[in-house]
Amino acid sequence: MVATETAEGRILRPYGDTTGDGMVQVSFTLPMPHSKVAEGAAAQLANKMGIDPALVVHAKAMGPDFTFFVVYGRVNHLVDTSKVKVVERDYPLLSPKDINLAIRKGLRRRLAVVGGCIGTDAHTVGIDAILNIKGFAGEKGLEYYREVKVVNLGAQVSVPELVARARQEKADAVLVSQVVTQRDAHILNTKEMSAAFREAYPADRRPLLIVGGPRFDESASADLGVDRVFGRGTTPADVASFLVHRLVTQRPGRKAS
Amino acid sequence: MVATETAEGRILRPYGDTTGDGMVQVSFTLPMPHSKVAEGAAAQLANKMGIDPALVVHAKAMGPDFTFFVVYGRVNHLVDTSKVKVVERDYPLLSPKDINLAIRKGLRRRLAVVGGCIGTDAHTVGIDAILNIKGFAGEKGLEYYREVKVVNLGAQVSVPELVARARQEKADAVLVSQVVTQRDAHILNTKEMSAAFREAYPADRRPLLIVGGPRFDESASADLGVDRVFGRGTTPADVASFLVHRLVTQRPGRKAS
Amino acid sequence: MKGKLALDPAVVRKARSLARQAGRPIVELARKHTTVSVERATLRLAGLRGADADGIPWVNRLLDAVTADTGLEHGVAVPVWDALVRGEADDLSTLAQKASAGSIRFRIPEGRDLTRARAAARKQVGAGVKQVDARARERQRLVKRYGDPDHKPWIYLIVATGDIYEDIPQAQQAAREGADVIAVIRSTGQSLLDYVPEGATREGFAGTYATQENFRLMRAALDESSKDLGRYVRLTNYASGLCMPEIAALAGLERLDMMLNDSMYGILFRDINPVRTFVDQRFSRQVHARAGIIINTGEDNYLTTADAVEAAHTVTVSQLLNEYFAKEAGLEDSQLGLGHAFEIDPDLPDSFRMELAHAMLARDLFPKAPLKWMPPTRHMSGDVFRGYLLDGFFNLVGTLTGQDILLVGMMTEAVVTPWLSDRDLALQNVRYVMNAAGRLGEDFHPAPDGFIAQRARQVLGESIELLERILAHEGKHGLLEAIGDGTFGLMKRPADGGKGLDGVAKKAPGYYNPASEILEGK
Amino acid sequence: MKGKLALDPAVVRKARSLARQAGRPIVELARKHTTVSVERATLRLAGLRGADADGIPWVNRLLDAVTADTGLEHGVAVPVWDALVRGEADDLSTLAQKASAGSIRFRIPEGRDLTRARAAARKQVGAGVKQVDARARERQRLVKRYGDPDHKPWIYLIVATGDIYEDIPQAQQAAREGADVIAVIRSTGQSLLDYVPEGATREGFAGTYATQENFRLMRAALDESSKDLGRYVRLTNYASGLCMPEIAALAGLERLDMMLNDSMYGILFRDINPVRTFVDQRFSRQVHARAGIIINTGEDNYLTTADAVEAAHTVTVSQLLNEYFAKEAGLEDSQLGLGHAFEIDPDLPDSFRMELAHAMLARDLFPKAPLKWMPPTRHMSGDVFRGYLLDGFFNLVGTLTGQDILLVGMMTEAVVTPWLSDRDLALQNVRYVMNAAGRLGEDFHPAPDGFIAQRARQVLGESIELLERILAHEGKHGLLEAIGDGTFGLMKRPADGGKGLDGVAKKAPGYYNPASEILEGK
Ligand code: B12
Ligand code: B12
Ligand SMILES: Cc1ncc(COP(=O)(O)O)c(C=O)c1O
Ligand SMILES: Cc1ncc(COP(=O)(O)O)c(C=O)c1O
């Protein structure tokens, strides 16, 4: 399995059954009736994706207007791992004990967190996995941390409602979940939410804004106007450790109110 | 399902669940351990294929050295059906009756066909489907045509053997099947075969060379040095009609020997 | 008919009577209350359609005006038809427009005025109910003409593009490929709207709005398909939410064939006020009963948040309660599409056999009900190949255990709302399993005391315990209190909390609703 | 042990005795002949290794020299060891080199020379057989140490890159993912080579050459894996072809665990001369028996060319013949990996239940044999999703009917030789089915006269008819004539046609082969 090792990374090709063969599988539908031309069109698309030769191994008419294709072939692109940008955890992963300790020592009060699903999204399993005692993947949720006060607003919370509750609870952080992504609902809702908080708070008092969901791009926080984005498979400890890191360890100048 | 209709063809995008959404599914393996970087690398490859945004929806470690990925996303290429090149049947499809008639009238003798699988390929089902009485897809094979004499040499025929038999039978056409494509075996064997026939015959007496198999590119005949390539789903009538078209209807100048 | 599990009839009887005891007080409660949606549904049956410039339906504008003057507790019928009889307007929509312009005062008449108002109301609402009856007869005619599917389970397929004009070709394509029932999923959030949107819509999120016009368009398209295919293709939508009664009325008027309608879904999964929900579901089910619509209950939802093995008995309890409430509202066994789902963690040893046990339990408990069998969702992942396999084994359970309605699973469950090709592949999967293994049931005989039979008995036993715990709650509505302290799906839903409580009123003496009167056959 | 189908023991006995009658004359024939490969295998057992500059193995060079002088009919042992005893060379390979340089004359000695030559030959060949014994004991030790799989069926997986150095990591990865048996598929065409290539190879087509060195490398790699995994991972290769006896010898010497070895595959599917094949398969199976190797027969191949429903009985007949020939050659029941496959057109109604019927028939006919259950291939298509589903149902039949060795199907069967990811997905498929439904067999009881039982009986009946047709052929070797006129798979294979006939000789009086002598325990 040798692949060009460079200082910064490696140059790779996809692997079918031999190093460097570059093989991939693709499937898609074209909005046209099945015919030889349609199969040619499928091959053309595969070619444009960089697959050459492209084998159209399956073509099935789906009614008079659509055809489904499966294509196999060798893609001629190279993967350069040195060019990959990922959001690696840039803070220490702490145990519940250390987290409670850090908050008690550093904040001298409980850390207040308000969370929920905004917009019309009713998928609470994700946010509950982070907030509720029950937790996720064997880890207890934030409610379990003595020094963290959790207010879980549940599903379909409106943004104004969320802001109001954040004020009332003097929230240090606001945790929002978005699971439905059709028509970029998750992006639009998140931007609306972050804008509302910037509206409602002076910059130095705005609670930390955290958004999560299975289909978020973790590198998009700036664009979304939030402080952090968490994706698939996040665990409560990831989140708790981040909270301590940003709200306690590298605490901004302001005094705890 | 409207799509830009132009005189020559249509401009289309793949269809997920909405016209123009351009959605496709891709899967492949990268020769690297599973990690956030690996998922980033998968997204990078998808981007290079023109998929943006690319959702890496599944990543599974396959041992320490490989990771399998499933990616969904919107591909930004357009399909232009006017640019599709396909080998459409450029000859009339005849009934067995007409075929026998045409040969008797036009050739005044039986048309001789020699066929087999060359090289180490032992997949005879395909060639048998074309040649044997049993046939394919409800159509009888060439043996069924009174005016066609079929010699089926079966599997793993060497090229010299094939040439010799072709001479001996005064073959009008030679039909070769290639099913195994690993390491381009089918291409190499076919080129060797066509070269040998050009060697052995004066140009004007060379039998018609036909090759077939599920993984051939039907537009590659020139490159392969054969007169026609038949792919997936060919039926005996396709082939018989082609033989009549080339050997009887538009018969080259030479007199029937 | 004795089921394969040979359940003890005494135990089954006990489970049913416990459900009856738990449900009866709730029915009493529902009888004593009305809601804004019940009253608006009455206006819709009376024929009031359309919306104002801001898209607020006239039924909402009119009801608001009425309640401002006379409150909700008397019902909308008497004040409205009193006004009409008084000649404030010559039809309902004019009245609605004038009323929302503030130019009408409503009152509760007495004596002969009251009698006249009631008579007028009953007449006009009765006409609406007759329309519902006509649509039901129409269904019978079409089913007779085009025929029912020649197989069980019926194949139930979802479309959810958000745009009714994309939904239609996809639904027709699905029907062509073998779907017997098409469900148009609603846009997220509609269930929390306290009004029903108007007109054809193209901008739903992860679903398409349920509107009378969308119902009409899709039903017409599927009538076309039924004609082409020589098989009556059924249409499903969702009643659940704050507008259950109204949507039920619209479904009846537009000849939908099935409606998602669960007695507790709104409470547990949408945090809608329990009293509101129980009142609304009762009225909506009375309308469904009249319209010959098959309801689909939502037990699958429990298993998306709770573990499918630990919580298996909550499904059974919910089925028993749904059955009781449904029959009380006048639905026949043949209209009870009780739900359950294939949601056990596939990595558990014997998970497939446990699924069989659960599916057979439902089958044997409700032999005459058209059970709705729902596919894996929470354990589906981005590995679409594995997902396609799981759906195949889900289909196998469906055929092996004689389910009636099979909601077709999609390999992209964890990724996107279904693509056209996902649906095509999914139907191919169902066809293979039904055709190749459809009659395997003949060869399938779990031992009387084997793993499967024991598991089924265990779940039934746990269901009885849960029902007993519910009845153990003091307070005159055991079930309400039970819901209040999180007996179901760990969600605490107090009777005085949740959305839509302000739309509930205790009926005043002399409350009158012609629709209820007719539907209850008085 | 009585099977689930409750077959009539008398009918089963009849089928077996017909197979015996058909096979016995063939064994007689095999006893009377030898082949170049049998003789070369003898030299390999005696320790002759390596090849000349052009890659022609020394066993071939030496045998050619010998036959040039004394012909094949006396066997190679006497002339060769006579030469050695005469001091023409001090070891076999020197002798081989000299011989191929033409500097040695071989003869058939007599009297004491003959006795000495025989004794020397028997001594040296015996040493080789002892090595085979040692490898067999080694296997027993390792199996004891690392243990056998804790489940049935054993999971059998193919690698086929053509390059032994790509095969190895893929095989180890497959083992890690749960494969119990690894098969390295051969390059196309090797079965028609009349010699065994030498050394490690990297250039096979759609498979990797079977060479002693490749055997050694892969077995060593899998010993490593067995150690890491604490589970003995078995290795399979192919004996079939013109070199059956030699490859069998190499497999024994390198501790392979299973070998594809069918009594008629070479004849029918590779057009190898029937006599050559029958002689070779008998010798090769005697070697396998000694080596404790499980043979895998090739009944699956019939169904790739013939229809799996119409030709189901040809599979059964072939299994009965393979059983007879195998036992005659000294193999135990526990070494009979009789083959069958899931190849019925999936679009046929009840296709899945027919597969069950066929699989149960094999199970009940051969209760003690480690049956090899093979996946769908000809009805696989480019629709890899459908393929993945079919493989899941194939796996289900495997567990439901108690198969012993399950050849894992690949979703890309119709597309490419398996990719690394195909194998990983395929194993996940098997794991799901075995874990989730592994014990479903308990609940599976086809009615005594139901569809499944009847289908099984029908196939058994047709098998008996076919065996009777075979015996009806006049000529003293009914089976040979039957093969000659196309009774099997419609392929006519006359006894005097086919490849490798020139490598067959009728044994002369005084023919001597120490290997056969030892293997037949004389
Ligand atoms: C369970 C479920 C439901 C349940 C939800 C119950 C509940 N109370 O949550 C019910 C049945 C109610 C439901 C309903 C619907 N659902 Co739903 N549902 C799912 C399902 C099966 C599983 C989701 C889940 O629970 N995952 C498990 C959790 C733990 O994972 P997670 O959410 O990703 O969370 C993790 C991370 O993302 C992260 N995270 C998530 N949020 C946050 C927040 C913060 C602050 C942080 C730090 C981290 C974090 O941490 C979590 C732990 O690692 C998915 C399909 C699937 N298999 O994924 C569909 C799915 C999400 N649903 C879908 C849809 C469309 C709907 C409906 C809109 C359908 C309809 N029209 O009726 C409805 C309406 C719901 C609504 N209004 O939003 C679609 C969404 C499509 C899309 N991408 O837009 C999916 C993908 C199914 C599909 N293919 O159609 N659904
Ligand atoms: C049946 C089969 C076998 C049988 C063959 C029996 C026989 N006598 O033919 C057996 C079991 C012997 C076999 C063996 C092997 N097989 Co095989 N086999 C298949 C299988 C399952 C089906 C092929 C088939 O019969 N198709 C049906 C026919 C009708 O279709 P067709 O060949 O495409 O022919 C049509 C058209 O292509 C066209 N056509 C074809 N030829 C010609 C010729 C002319 C002149 C014309 C006009 C038209 C034409 O017309 C036909 C009718 O429409 C495929 C997998 C699959 N499902 O496709 C693997 C497959 C072809 N085999 C494969 C392999 C690797 C092998 C082996 C080499 C494996 C091994 N190492 O042991 C061996 C060795 C065989 C050899 N030496 O070549 C691979 C090839 C991979 C690749 N692309 O290179 C495949 C794809 C399976 C896989 N995924 O590994 N195989
Ligand atoms: C009974 C029932 N009603 C309604 C819905 C739809 O949910 P929503 O309230 O988001 O429309 C579901 C979802 O599965 C359901 O099961
Ligand atoms: C018994 C047997 N031997 C050998 C082979 C391999 O074929 P080949 O002769 O091409 O190596 C097969 C293929 O399936 C087989 O079944």
Side-chain angles (χ1 to χ4, degrees), chain C residues 109-125:
Chain C
E110 293 178 347
R112 295 186 50 264
D113 289 356
L114 176 59
T115 329
R116 266 211 243 84
R118 288 191 171 195
R122 171 146 185 157
K123 182 149 171 299
Q124 195 167 345
V125 171

Side-chain angles (χ1 to χ4, degrees), chain C residues 186 191 238 240 260-262 265 270 296-298 300-301:
Chain C
R186 281 193 304 193
S191 48
Y238 296 74
S240 317
L260 270 76
N261 183 309
D262 188 277
Y265 172 87
R270 290 295 175 268
N296 293 186
T297 58
D300 54 310
N301 296 289

Side-chain angles (χ1 to χ4, degrees), chain D residues 186 191 238 240 260 262 265 270 298 300-301:
Chain D
R186 280 193 304 193
S191 47
Y238 296 73
S240 319
L260 271 76
D262 189 277
Y265 172 86
R270 291 294 174 268
D300 54 310
N301 296 291

Side-chain angles (χ1 to χ4, degrees), chain D residues 60-129:
Chain D
N60 291 63
R61 300 304 303 266
L62 179 54
L63 181 69
D64 295 348
V66 170
T67 47
D69 294 352
T70 65
L72 182 61
E73 61 274 20
H74 302 285
V76 76
V78 168
V80 162
W81 272 272
D82 167 65
L84 285 170
V85 170
R86 270 168 25 222
E88 296 283 351
D90 22 9
D91 60 39
L92 263 179
S93 47
T94 328
L95 184 75
Q97 286 165 41
K98 285 188 168 175
S100 45
S103 59
I104 291 185
R105 289 275 146 279
F106 293 96
R107 59 161 198 168
I108 303 299
E110 294 181 347
R112 295 186 49 266
D113 290 356
L114 175 59
T115 328
R116 268 214 241 81
R118 287 189 170 196
R122 171 147 184 154
K123 183 149 170 301
Q124 195 166 344
V125 171
V129 176

Side-chain angles (χ1 to χ4, degrees), chain C residues 130-149:
Chain C
K130 284 206 185 60
Q131 258 188 62
V132 171
D133 295 337
R135 303 304 247 135
R137 282 195 305 278
E138 188 179 32
R139 181 189 300 107
Q140 287 171 356
R141 260 205 322 282
L142 293 173
V143 170
K144 184 154 318 87
R145 185 180 312 155
Y146 301 133
D148 268 327

Side-chain angles (χ1 to χ4, degrees), chain C residues 166-492:
Chain C
E166 294 279 346
D167 288 343
I168 285 174
Q170 294 203 8
Q172 291 185 313
Q173 167 59 7
R176 224 180 276 114
E177 289 296 313
D180 303 309
V181 185
I182 298 291
V184 179
I185 279 195
R186 281 193 304 193
S187 173
T188 61
Q190 174 164 13
S191 48
L192 298 187
L193 300 179
D194 211 339
Y195 66 91
V196 181
E198 272 287 323
T201 65
R202 311 195 64 161
E203 64 296 309
F205 283 112
T208 306
Y209 286 99
T211 73
Q212 182 164 14
E213 179 62 5
N214 288 346
F215 286 4
R216 196 185 61 73
L217 289 167
M218 184 59 83
R219 184 60 268 176
L222 292 181
D223 282 346
E224 245 178 55
S225 302
S226 305
K227 193 145 168 294
D228 302 345
L229 302 168
R231 159 168 65 81
Y232 183 69
V233 181
R234 286 180 167 75
L235 176 59
T236 303
N237 209 296
Y238 296 74
S240 317
L242 287 171
C243 297
M244 263 180 142
E246 291 172 85
I247 298 182
L250 298 177
L253 291 166
E254 299 301 337
R255 192 180 17 100
L256 269 62
D257 306 282
M258 298 188 184
M259 293 296 283
L260 270 76
N261 183 309
D262 188 277
S263 56
M264 300 192 294
Y265 172 87
I267 303 169
L268 297 172
F269 298 97
R270 290 295 175 268
D271 194 14
I272 295 173
N273 172 267
V275 181
R276 169 85 178 245
T277 298
F278 283 124
V279 177
D280 285 349
Q281 63 91 25
R282 181 164 183 266
F283 183 93
S284 63
R285 288 177 171 199
Q286 292 175 325
V287 178
H288 290 327
R290 185 83 178 208
I293 282 175
I294 294 175
I295 63 165
N296 293 186
T297 58
E299 284 77 6
D300 54 310
N301 296 289
Y302 293 93
L303 306 184
T304 62
T305 45
D307 176 78
V309 175
E310 291 163 19
H313 63 289
T314 62
V315 167
T316 308
V317 167
S318 172
Q319 289 168 331
L320 288 162
L321 291 170
N322 266 311
E323 177 191 44
Y324 169 74
F325 288 126
K327 293 193 150 182
E328 189 283 327
L331 288 158
E332 305 288 332
D333 279 312
S334 61
Q335 291 175 288
L336 304 188
L338 300 173
H340 53 146
F342 184 101
E343 291 280 21
I344 298 173
D345 178 349
D347 294 340
L348 283 183
D350 278 318
S351 64
F352 182 74
R353 296 172 78 199
M354 266 189 279
E355 294 286 5
L356 285 167
H358 297 176
M360 290 173 74
L361 176 60
R363 178 70 291 163
D364 288 6
L365 277 179
F366 308 100
K368 298 207 216 68
L371 296 180
K372 184 182 184 191
W373 177 230
M374 285 177 270
T377 64
R378 68 185 295 195
H379 295 291
M380 296 290 274
S381 71
D383 181 349
V384 289
F385 301 101
R386 171 173 164 283
Y388 199 68
L389 176 70
L390 288 181
D391 283 332
F393 277 72
F394 155 78
N395 293 334
L396 183 58
V397 173
T399 48
L400 263 180
T401 62
Q403 303 297 314
D404 301 278
I405 304 167
L406 184 139
L407 195 162
V408 178
M410 299 289 145
M411 70 181 192
T412 51
E413 171 63 30
V415 184
V416 290
T417 45
W419 288 358
L420 185 76
S421 53
D422 296 330
R423 225 174 277 122
D424 194 78
L425 283 164
L427 284 169
Q428 167 179 290
N429 188 324
V430 176
R431 273 197 307 274
Y432 168 71
V433 175
M434 285 172 58
N435 179 49
R439 281 179 285 274
L440 187 61
E442 287 171 26
D443 315 306
F444 173 63
H445 303 286
D449 289 300
F451 176 87
I452 287 179
Q454 285 187 22
R455 172 63 190 165
R457 270 186 237 125
Q458 180 190 0
V459 174
L460 182 53
E462 290 170 359
S463 311
I464 287 176
E465 286 162 24
L466 175 54
L467 282 163
E468 281 164 340
R469 276 206 304 288
I470 290 171
L471 289 166
H473 281 76
E474 52 284 319
K476 59 183 187 334
H477 310 103
L479 183 55
L480 270 188
E481 282 78 22
I483 292 171
D485 61 23
T487 312
F488 290 97
L490 304 168
M491 284 156 288
K492 292 192 170 53

Side-chain angles (χ1 to χ4, degrees), chain B residues 163-185:
Chain B
V163 175
R165 250 344 246 289
R167 283 184 177 292
Q168 176 188 334
E169 305 287 345
K170 297 211 173 57
D172 298 289
V174 172
L175 276 58
V176 163
S177 178
Q178 287 285 276
V179 172
V180 174
T181 62
Q182 216 200 24
R183 303 189 179 201
D184 288 337

